[in-house]
Amino acid sequence: MEFRAENGQITVTGVACFNLALTLDCGQAFRWEQCGAKTWRGVAFGTPLTICQNGDTLIFYDTTEGVFRDIWAPYFMLDTDYPAILARLSQDPLLAQAIEQWPGIRILAQEPWETLFTFIFSSTNHIKRIRGFVNRIAARYGRQVGEGLFAFPSPEDLKDVSRADYRQMGAGYRDAFLQDAVARVLSGKTDLEAIKKLPLEEARAQLMQISGVGKKVAECTLLFGFQRMEAFPVDRWIERILRSYPEGLPACFQGYEGLAQQYLFQYARMNL
DNA sequence: GTCCAGGCATGCA
DNA sequence: TGCATGCATGGA
């Protein structure tokens, strides 16, 4: 990855296999808004960002080299060799088709807590509604970090939020789930830092101790929040597309099932 | 009005 | 272990 810093912005050139709009809007993250033809605005790790893509060039506005190195390069996985990974996934004909149709979807390295919380809310919800709820939560309980921009609230920030509060904000029956997640993390019963280091099976089992977290939400948390590329969330859409794989997942997915899953998710939502 | 959504917990066989 | 059902809500 090559980049240069000037005038308070970072310009990264020669970025291969990257589609900013698809990556920010494919249903893995819910806090990015399009604010121009090629420009998006959002917050991650308590840090606001405006970002623009022009071909294979990315421009990060109002940031510094330090913040770029510490937060945004890892968040967008700019050092990951996507061309090599996608070439391998393309050995599968259906995935090759999905990649050709929607090239440049990347996995975002999101915060574990935010990922866990938002995917607990995601069950039997549309992506649009998830976005609305998550942004309401951030605006009400998160620290303001810019004009109309809020950090996602920490478990500490949410410690006094009642079930009635969650209901009032539209959580529906998931109110108790969200409260349980906050309580477990605050009490240390769920240790997200420790889970990060566990083997996949154990990490999943730990997450599933939280009420409202089943296998699918756990896999989403592992994939999007812990960068476990071998995690494979199965929702209603993936369930449908799995009929195309009666023998199970192809060997070429090995180690990157989660990235393959994100392409299949896009393919299924747009084509089925 | 009807159907559905990045599911899960629970009860029952 | 596997299947059926209820769950809140708003977008399409």
Side-chain angles (χ1 to χ4, degrees), chain A residues 151-261:
Chain A
F152 191 80
S154 66
E156 182 66 25
D157 292 330
L158 297 170
K159 71 176 190 309
D160 294 325
V161 181
S162 67
R163 291 181 59 175
D165 292 330
Y166 285 125
R167 285 255 168 180
Q168 184 268 326
M169 298 190 71
Y173 64 88
R174 309 165 196 80
D175 57 351
F177 299 161
L178 297 172
Q179 196 181 43
D180 183 50
V182 170
R184 287 190 62 97
V185 171
L186 284 177
S187 71
K189 285 181 185 168
T190 296
D191 183 343
L192 295 176
E193 283 306 307
I195 287 173
K196 192 167 193 169
K197 298 171 189 124
L198 294 176
L200 194 75
E201 303 280 319
E202 291 177 42
R204 185 199 301 131
Q206 286 280 318
L207 289 169
M208 287 174 66
Q209 286 182 10
I210 302 166
S211 94
V213 179
K215 189 169 182 192
K216 193 271 175 182
V217 170
E219 296 281 317
C220 280
T221 305
L222 289 166
L223 176 59
F224 304 128
F226 291 104
Q227 296 74 58
R228 300 296 285 262
M229 296 290 261
E230 74 274 34
F232 190 81
V234 178
D235 73 337
R236 300 176 193 275
W237 294 105
I238 296 295
E239 216 164 80
R240 287 172 211 172
I241 203 103
L242 282 180
R243 294 172 198 154
S244 304
Y245 297 96
E247 313 291 320
L249 298 182
C252 68
F253 287 7
Q254 177 69 40
Y256 293 94
E257 290 87 347
L259 180 59
Q261 177 272 162

Side-chain angles (χ1 to χ4, degrees), chain A residues 103-154:
Chain A
I105 296 175
R106 290 195 175 215
I107 300 298
L108 294 167
Q110 301 183 68
E111 294 172 76
W113 166 248
E114 177 177 338
T115 311
L116 173 63
F117 188 96
T118 60
F119 277 94
I120 288 173
F121 177 76
S122 77
S123 85
T124 39
N125 264 322
H126 294 91
I127 288 172
K128 190 149 192 175
R129 187 158 176 254
I130 301 168
R131 180 172 286 128
F133 177 74
V134 170
N135 282 319
R136 281 198 298 282
I137 288 287
R140 179 156 169 189
Y141 301 108
R143 177 173 46 89
Q144 184 156 16
V145 294
E147 197 183 329
L149 295 174
F150 299 86
F152 191 80
S154 66

Side-chain angles (χ1 to χ4, degrees), chain A residues 38-67:
Chain A
K38 299 177 178 178
T39 308
W40 294 72
R41 206 164 77 109
V43 182
F45 294 91
T47 307
L49 176 70
T50 300
I51 180 173
C52 170
Q53 177 173 33
N54 272 312
D56 67 354
T57 298
L58 290 172
I59 302 172
F60 297 74
Y61 295 101
D62 297 324
T63 191
T64 64
E65 189 171 335
V67 170

